[in-house]
Amino acid sequence: MNPPKILADRRFDLALLKNETLEFTDRASKLIGLVKNIHVTDSVLGLARLSSVTAASLIMKTGNPLSLTCSVRVRDRNRTSLRQIVSDAILTGVKSLLILMGDDPCGDVNHSGLRPSEALKMLNIEKYGSVIKLGLALPSKIGRQDNLQSKLSAEPNFFVTQCIASISQLKEIKAAIDPHKIPIIACIMVPSEKNKKSAERIGLDWRGYYSDPVDFIMKAGEIAAEVQLTSPNNFRAGIEILERMRTK
């Protein structure tokens, strides 16, 4: 789930933010009984949104019993601010954090220079990893082995894939990671017309599972430790697929 945007027409509007926050937590309540966890993103596409940890805390305050996981981007965080948000997540009760680079901030090409693997190593050395699970992202296609080795050397508790397009992709990822005994969470985008632009933006070709996404998701679940669904522009389509899965 994407937290509410902070700015509207380049201006901060408190009333609008409060309304969108209520809509956000209401959507989260609709997932009760359909999923085990809610994953809260961190300023996807570089758009300024509420902190993933703040958004998770707002969901918790409604009494929502689902576990919460969050993304934490390092592109525009230095080591001090990274320590702050991880500590906030621990005190809030967030289950796990996905440490990732993140998209370029809109209107700002500068970044901290901190890399996800480097950030995770720091957090593990400082023992944050002893009280919260910390993970890294994997590409949907395993490429250079030195890049993979850098991620492995950071000792993540889990990996989350980018959106996969086929079961064969997932099997290749699992074959590469299995020897290291690290759980894999397979990310799958819900195929719908409203999500088409998001799929095109990341080069995702969902034709292989468009006709039967439920079967694809369930097969992925037999290979990966967990499946994470994303439906960036069509929440209703995501709910419909989850409801169909519940009847399987």
Side-chain angles (χ1 to χ4, degrees):
M1 294 186 65
N2 295 329
K5 294 177 183 177
I6 295 174
L7 301 180
D9 296 326
R10 300 185 180 183
R11 298 289 186 273
F12 180 79
D13 186 327
L14 180 57
L16 179 60
L17 180 58
K18 286 183 175 180
N19 287 336
E20 291 189 349
T21 296
L22 288 173
E23 181 181 353
F24 173 77
T25 55
D26 181 61
R27 283 185 170 187
S29 70
K30 289 179 170 60
L31 295 171
I32 298 172
L34 296 175
V35 299
K36 292 183 178 179
N37 308 303
I38 296 175
H39 183 75
V40 186
T41 63
D42 188 10
S43 295
V44 171
L45 300 181
L47 298 174
R49 294 177 180 267
L50 284 183
S51 153
S52 59
V53 174
T54 296
S57 71
L58 293 173
I59 292 174
M60 290 182 182
K61 287 178 181 178
T62 66
N64 193 313
L66 294 170
S67 295
L68 278 295
T69 68
C70 295
S71 290
V72 173
R73 46 187 283 135
V74 300
R75 183 181 294 274
D76 42 11
R77 282 191 175 90
N78 58 28
R79 293 172 184 267
T80 298
S81 61
L82 178 63
R83 292 182 180 107
Q84 288 174 332
I85 194 167
V86 174
S87 298
D88 288 345
I90 292 168
L91 293 174
T92 298
V94 170
K95 175 184 175 183
S96 65
L97 296 175
L98 172 61
I99 310 298
L100 41 69
M101 177 60 74
D103 302 303
D104 283 325
C106 290
D108 184 0
V109 296
N110 296 317
H111 57 83
S112 67
L114 193 60
R115 308 291 298 183
S117 297
E118 177 188 0
L120 181 53
K121 284 182 181 179
M122 179 197 81
L123 293 171
N124 278 332
I125 289 172
E126 295 174 353
K127 302 303 181 183
Y128 287 95
S130 66
V131 289
I132 190 170
K133 292 183 178 180
L134 303 169
L136 293 173
L138 278 179
S140 56
K141 296 180 180 179
I142 295 294
R144 291 171 48 187
Q145 289 301 308
D146 56 338
N147 288 342
L148 177 58
Q149 189 54 49
S150 175
K151 293 176 183 291
L152 291 168
S153 66
E155 300 183 350
N157 295 119
F158 60 90
F159 282 118
V160 179
T161 73
Q162 293 178 342
C163 292
I164 61 169
S166 69
I167 294 300
S168 61
Q169 274 186 344
L170 183 56
K171 286 182 176 179
E172 289 176 5
I173 294 171
K174 184 172 175 61
I177 302 302
D178 256 4
H180 306 281
K181 309 298 182 185
I182 301 174
I184 298 168
I185 299 173
C187 186
I188 297 175
M189 185 178 292
V190 172
S192 79
E193 189 61 32
K194 290 183 178 180
N195 288 334
K196 190 174 181 180
K197 286 187 178 180
S198 294
E200 291 173 348
R201 187 181 292 115
I202 62 174
L204 173 66
D205 181 357
W206 60 34
R207 287 178 295 177
Y209 68 91
Y210 183 85
S211 61
D212 195 349
V214 170
D215 181 67
F216 180 68
I217 293 165
M218 295 185 76
K219 285 180 178 177
E222 294 173 358
I223 299 169
E226 296 180 34
V227 173
Q228 178 176 292
L229 293 186
T230 177
S231 188
N233 302 300
N234 196 342
F235 184 77
R236 183 65 241 172
I239 291 290
E240 288 172 357
I241 282 186
L242 289 168
E243 289 175 339
R244 286 164 56 191
M245 290 179 64
R246 185 166 55 175
T247 64
K248 287 285 187 177

